Amino acid sequence: MKTRRLVPLLALATTGALALAGCSASGGAAPDDSTIKVVASTNVYGDIAKQIGGSSVTVTSILSNPNQDPHGFEADAQTQLAISKADLIIENGGGYDDYVDTMRSSTNSKATLLNAVKVSGFTSSDGELNEHVFYDYPTMSKLANRIATDLSTANPDESKTFFNNAVTFNTAMEKLEAQTAALKKTYDGDAVAYTEPVPGYLFDAIGLKNATPGAFSEAVEEGEDVPPSALNDTLKLMTGKKVALLAYNEQAGSPETEQVQKAAETAGVPVVPVTETLPKGDDYQTWQQSNIDAVKAALAQ
């Protein structure tokens, strides 16, 4: 799978600029200069950083709007300013948020950089990589440990707290992993489909097999026209009820994906909505628990 690149917009005009979402307990108050400044490319990583760092960090999540397509995000001057002031930057990597590297270089930032794809250890196969590693619980556990390590370097006095918080987070990840392992015993090998490979790692953990034509999901993710043959083959998966469910990316719709969604609903194939950022009010664990529950309910139909 190819990855869609995000476009940096370095205009200095602030009119219409994206308001950065602070994850700090201050609720939008001016950041405390004594805290460690963390900038995360999305609120997924921002939330995890906040869980590990607690009151010792001030977290800014660049992308947090649940109604926005992350692939269509355009970074601006506010984004650049936040990155220039960061002590720790957390990016997804894998082509998902390249604007972070671009802006980090342009500001001569000295911040520590954490790249979730690199932390995962996943490598591309034949030029393809599912960059949505935030649906892989072992990777998020490793990331939590790395965050604790980097925060401890910045503030050794709070090291014990950081690592204790990482243990708490990883215990929650183990509970999620136990649920996917239990589902695998029942549904291993079942065919599923998705409009984009957002929940791919979750499906892998359950043992589900992706039946989506690669040309369909790749075109959708790249924002390109879906080849008619790929669309037709994908529609046949729905009309013939050849898959147990369709995972639909709520943040990146298109006429083709809407057509597939309608075909699934008409045929009685369960549609499971998925997102790339945290829904409002959810932390990472709550979000992923909801995803597991939705997949479980769909598979049971």
Side-chain angles (χ1 to χ4, degrees), residues 264-295:
E265 292 170 346
T266 299
V269 175
V271 177
V272 176
V274 295
T275 61
E276 301 182 55
T277 56
L278 298 183
K280 186 176 181 180
D282 280 3
D283 60 18
Y284 180 81
Q285 297 93 311
T286 302
W287 177 48
Q288 288 301 319
Q289 183 63 63
S290 297
N291 288 323
I292 292 175
D293 291 344
V295 171

Side-chain angles (χ1 to χ4, degrees), residues 23-105:
C23 295
S24 66
S26 61
D32 180 354
D33 287 340
S34 68
T35 61
I36 303 168
K37 310 302 181 297
V38 180
V39 172
S41 63
T42 77
N43 63 359
V44 173
Y45 299 121
D47 175 73
I48 296 173
K50 186 60 184 176
Q51 291 191 49
I52 306 304
S55 60
S56 296
V57 299
T58 298
V59 179
T60 298
S61 294
I62 294 171
L63 186 62
S64 62
N65 184 349
N67 298 315
Q68 183 175 18
D69 179 0
H71 295 288
F73 171 69
E74 293 184 341
D76 58 20
Q78 283 184 283
T79 310
Q80 188 173 32
L81 179 62
I83 288 175
S84 71
K85 294 183 176 181
D87 300 307
L88 173 63
I89 298 171
I90 308 173
E91 66 179 1
N92 187 83
Y96 189 84
D97 43 16
D98 284 344
Y99 67 89
V100 173
D101 294 325
T102 300
M103 289 192 162
R104 181 170 177 266
S105 297

